[in-house]
Amino acid sequence: MKFELIKVSENTKARRGKIITSHGEIDTPVFMPVGTQATVKTMAPDELESIGAKIILSNTYHLYLRPGHKLIEEAGGLHKFMNWKGSILTDSGGYQVFSLGELREIREEGVTFRSHIDGSIHFISPEISIEIQNSLGSDIIMCFDECIPYPSTYEYVKNSVERTTRWAIRCREHHKRSDQALFGIVQGGLFEELRKKSAEDLKSIDFEGYAVGGLSVGEPKQEMYKVLDYTVPLLPENKPRYLMGVGSPDAIFEGVIRGIDMFDCVLPTRIARHGTVFTKRGKLVVRNAVYAKDFSPLDPECDCYVCKNYTRAYIRHLINAGEILGLRLTTMHNLYFLLRLMEDIRKAIEGGYLLELKEEFFKKFGYVV
């Protein structure tokens, strides 16, 4: 993987760049659709390509449990298995394992946990997480870390940060594939001192990119932005910066302005499956009765395939009738909306009007400016 920094905004910390992997070039800042189980729910790979997706995220934990990383390796790797020609980032499985709560036990060696599928007992260590991701063959892989709950005490977070660093060293030592970039994950909760320690420790290990983890886990957004304010400047300028699990339009703007290059989130696909879509004028719950006779597009200001060809009334009918096409259309629209927003943000960084774009977007969408 190579990272090229093209431009840094003059009046913000926003960056315009390019990530190059063996599966293509990715303009940054970028939003990565989430394909947890080797599929972005309801979307075919060629549809993702048609709306501008260059990189997607898949999940180590889920693919390890089903169908198994060795089966995927036998199939020729994740790209071939799912017929995706673009780039893939796999997370380490850490977030999913730690979200199991009472179903897991953390030790220095790794984590023992029960499968959410059948209750069977499994063990993942930093080494095993890397082995799984090596088998999957993704372009970018993540260190196995502990994603701590919010809120947590200083002492708990301190111990967790130190363990995450020790695990990161083990990940670095065990990673053998030169065609996969390994990212470290900065933890530290809401404690500036611990974020700084985590960032400095991980920089000394020297990863190909750096993620800010442990955010968007229940803390107020202003607290998340505060953490970014003092954490992002600690990260190397010549490497990608990834804010994990964040994908609402307001948080994307705030992250970009603070120097973040990469985002991912299940938000656009999840709300789409519940009949909610993004529009330039805010969120719209298209399944509601008020749209039963509304023959306008989901978003009159959108030029996606869905808005060009279907009405709110029709999509509402599909969703209420339980037709899968309805969920496919809302999902395609939401992903297009965010991918187009990222394109607008990149142009704004290049043109020097990012803050003006943010203000205009926030006003129309309904965010407080």
Side-chain angles (χ1 to χ4, degrees), residues 250-286:
D250 57 336
I252 285 176
F253 267 105
E254 298 292 353
V256 166
I257 285 169
R258 289 163 172 81
I260 294 294
D261 305 303
M262 304 167 68
F263 301 84
D264 83 279
C265 194
V266 298
L267 176 68
T269 50
R270 178 172 288 168
I271 66 172
R273 296 195 301 277
H274 291 89
T276 298
V277 294
F278 293 125
T279 78
K280 290 287 182 67
R281 304 283 174 179
K283 291 180 183 176
L284 183 147
V285 186
V286 71

Side-chain angles (χ1 to χ4, degrees), residues 32-91:
M32 301 179 287
V34 176
T36 302
Q37 304 193 77
T39 175
V40 176
K41 285 183 171 55
T42 79
M43 296 284 288
D46 61 321
E47 292 172 327
L48 289 168
E49 187 178 353
S50 73
I51 62 174
K54 302 292 185 182
I55 179 171
I56 62 173
L57 180 146
S58 282
N59 185 269
T60 294
Y61 165 85
H62 288 282
L63 295 178
Y64 157 75
L65 289 177
R66 185 174 55 191
H69 57 291
K70 288 302 181 183
L71 183 147
I72 293 174
E73 184 176 33
E74 187 179 339
L78 192 53
H79 293 86
K80 191 170 183 180
F81 185 60
M82 65 184 294
N83 190 33
W84 172 248
K85 298 178 177 62
S87 300
I88 299 175
L89 181 150
T90 47
D91 64 9

Side-chain angles (χ1 to χ4, degrees), residues 62-128:
H62 288 282
L63 295 178
Y64 157 75
L65 289 177
R66 185 174 55 191
H69 57 291
K70 288 302 181 183
L71 183 147
I72 293 174
E73 184 176 33
E74 187 179 339
L78 192 53
H79 293 86
K80 191 170 183 180
F81 185 60
M82 65 184 294
N83 190 33
W84 172 248
K85 298 178 177 62
S87 300
I88 299 175
L89 181 150
T90 47
D91 64 9
S92 68
Y95 175 81
Q96 284 70 32
V97 167
F98 293 108
S99 68
L100 293 173
E102 296 179 357
L103 295 177
R104 52 98 172 118
E105 177 189 355
I106 308 169
R107 305 193 308 275
E108 185 64 27
E109 296 80 10
V111 182
T112 301
F113 63 96
R114 287 188 177 275
S115 164
H116 72 286
I117 299 171
D118 59 10
S120 56
I121 298 175
H122 301 266
F123 174 75
I124 290 184
S125 65
E127 293 81 5
I128 291 173

Side-chain angles (χ1 to χ4, degrees), residues 314-332:
Y314 177 63
I315 294 172
R316 176 186 180 273
H317 155 69
L318 292 177
I319 292 172
N320 287 332
E323 289 291 342
I324 293 173
L325 179 60
L327 309 185
R328 283 173 40 75
L329 295 178
T330 52
T331 299
M332 182 181 292

Side-chain angles (χ1 to χ4, degrees), residues 122-225:
H122 301 266
F123 174 75
I124 290 184
S125 65
E127 293 81 5
I128 291 173
S129 174
I130 294 298
E131 287 178 15
I132 295 170
Q133 294 181 83
N134 285 168
S135 291
L136 295 176
S138 44
D139 301 277
I140 300 173
I141 69 176
M142 307 299 298
C143 282
F144 191 64
D145 66 322
E146 181 181 1
C147 183
I148 59 175
Y150 169 83
S152 292
T153 65
Y154 179 90
E155 194 62 29
Y156 183 95
V157 178
K158 179 177 182 293
N159 292 333
S160 173
V161 163
E162 291 171 353
R163 181 189 294 118
T164 287
T165 296
R166 293 193 295 271
W167 285 359
I169 294 170
R170 289 163 60 183
C171 287
R172 176 87 275 178
E173 292 174 346
H174 201 73
H175 180 45
K176 305 301 181 186
R177 287 186 60 160
S178 60
D179 60 338
Q180 291 179 307
L182 177 61
F183 281 28
I185 305 176
V186 177
Q187 292 288 353
L190 304 184
F191 301 102
E192 182 173 357
E193 174 190 341
L194 297 179
R195 286 283 176 179
K196 182 175 182 180
K197 174 176 173 51
S198 181
E200 295 300 330
D201 289 347
L202 293 178
K203 281 195 297 184
S204 70
I205 303 171
D206 190 26
F207 293 101
E208 287 76 59
Y210 291 84
V212 181
L215 293 176
S216 193
V217 291
E219 79 282 357
K221 281 187 176 178
Q222 291 306 317
E223 290 294 327
M224 176 173 71
Y225 302 150

